């Protein structure tokens, strides 16, 4: 079990559509363990496998606050089956876009179908922060980032900043 390096924008892997998991085996379980370790270490409340470079439809989530008991949730092949008309706004962040936060509007409640680690179909009704987080993670599985939900002006500005930082890192021989 280990943490794995996070994939940061403008890395093109973040735009991949991840593949469904065929069979849940020891490799899937090892991936999920590394995802939880990486997510808790960051720290973050959610992680999609592509954020550690694995293009599979696997998500980990834990929206429990610091000091509260852990509530790890692993979702394999998650799908939104219904969404509320009511919209809520949360200030979102992303471990692949470090230290950038912006308000995003999404359905306030969603019903999500997924497989658990035993391959059993499950459904959850999510609201509040969990609803936002699970939608943010399913977006990652489709190559979508939260900055795709904000204005083009703001998005272009943040992508430009990270592209410049990467160029400087490469020039200094760090990437
Ligand atoms: O840690 C995270 N916090 C967060 C806050 C508001 C809305 C979504 C998130 S998910 C993010 C971790 C991450 O990048 N998951 O893909
Ligand atoms: Ni993210």
């Amino acid at each position: 079990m280990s943490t794995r390096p996070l994939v940061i924008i403008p890395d093109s892997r973040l735009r991949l559509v991840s593949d469904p998991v065929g069979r849940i085996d020891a490799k899937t379980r090892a991936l999920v363990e590394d995802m939880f370790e990486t997510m808790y270490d960051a720290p973050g409340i959610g992680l999609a496998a592509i954020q550690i470079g694995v293009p599979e439809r696997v998500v980990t989530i834990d929206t429990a606050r610091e000091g509260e008991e852990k509530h790890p949730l692993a979702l394999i092949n998650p799908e939104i089956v219904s969404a509320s008309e009511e919209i809520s706004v949360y200030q979102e962040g992303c471990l692949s876009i470090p230290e950038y936060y912006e308000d995003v509007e999404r359905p306030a409640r969603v019903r999500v179908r997924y497989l658990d680690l035993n391959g059993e179909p499950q459904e959850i009704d999510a609201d509040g922060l969990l609803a936002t987080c699970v939608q943010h993670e399913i977006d990652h599985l489709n190559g979508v980032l939260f900055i795709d939900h904000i204005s083009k002006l703001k998005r272009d500005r943040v992508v430009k900043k990270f592209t410049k930082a990467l160029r400087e890192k490469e020039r200094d021989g760090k990437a």
Side-chain angles (χ1 to χ4, degrees), residues 44-48 51 91-95 129 132-133 136-137 140:
I45 60 169
L47 195 73
Q51 294 182 275
Q91 187 174 64
E92 299 198 15
C94 183
L95 295 174
L129 182 58
T132 290
C133 186
H136 175 118
E137 302 313 334
H140 274 301

Side-chain angles (χ1 to χ4, degrees), residues 10-31:
D11 194 307
S12 60
R13 288 175 291 177
L14 292 169
R15 294 311 191 174
L16 292 173
V17 177
S18 292
D19 295 321
V21 174
R23 56 176 296 138
I24 297 164
D25 55 15
K27 223 181 137 200
T28 317
R29 279 180 265 274
L31 170 63

Side-chain angles (χ1 to χ4, degrees), residues 9-123:
I9 61 162
D11 194 307
S12 60
R13 288 175 291 177
L14 292 169
R15 294 311 191 174
L16 292 173
V17 177
S18 292
D19 295 321
V21 174
R23 56 176 296 138
I24 297 164
D25 55 15
K27 223 181 137 200
T28 317
R29 279 180 265 274
L31 170 63
V32 166
E33 288 214 352
D34 284 359
M35 286 174 64
F36 275 120
E37 196 173 331
T38 304
M39 183 184 86
Y40 287 126
D41 183 68
I45 60 169
L47 195 73
I50 194 57
Q51 294 182 275
I52 55 168
V54 179
E56 292 181 28
R57 302 186 82 81
V58 177
V59 162
T60 56
I61 291 178
D62 191 338
T63 56
R65 269 169 296 213
E66 216 185 298
E68 289 179 0
E69 216 176 306
K70 283 192 165 78
H71 276 288
L73 186 60
L75 313 181
I76 314 292
N77 302 341
E79 289 175 58
I80 291 169
V81 294
S82 63
S84 64
E85 285 191 27
E86 191 192 327
I87 300 296
S88 69
V89 181
Y90 263 94
Q91 187 174 64
E92 299 198 15
C94 183
L95 295 174
S96 296
I97 314 172
E99 287 163 45
Y100 181 74
Y101 307 92
E102 199 56 66
D103 282 353
V104 176
E105 291 183 11
R106 300 184 188 269
R109 294 176 300 283
V110 287
R111 171 167 288 228
V112 180
R113 187 176 298 155
Y114 64 97
L115 300 178
D116 66 19
L117 277 176
N118 299 315
E120 300 286 345
Q122 303 287 350
E123 274 190 16

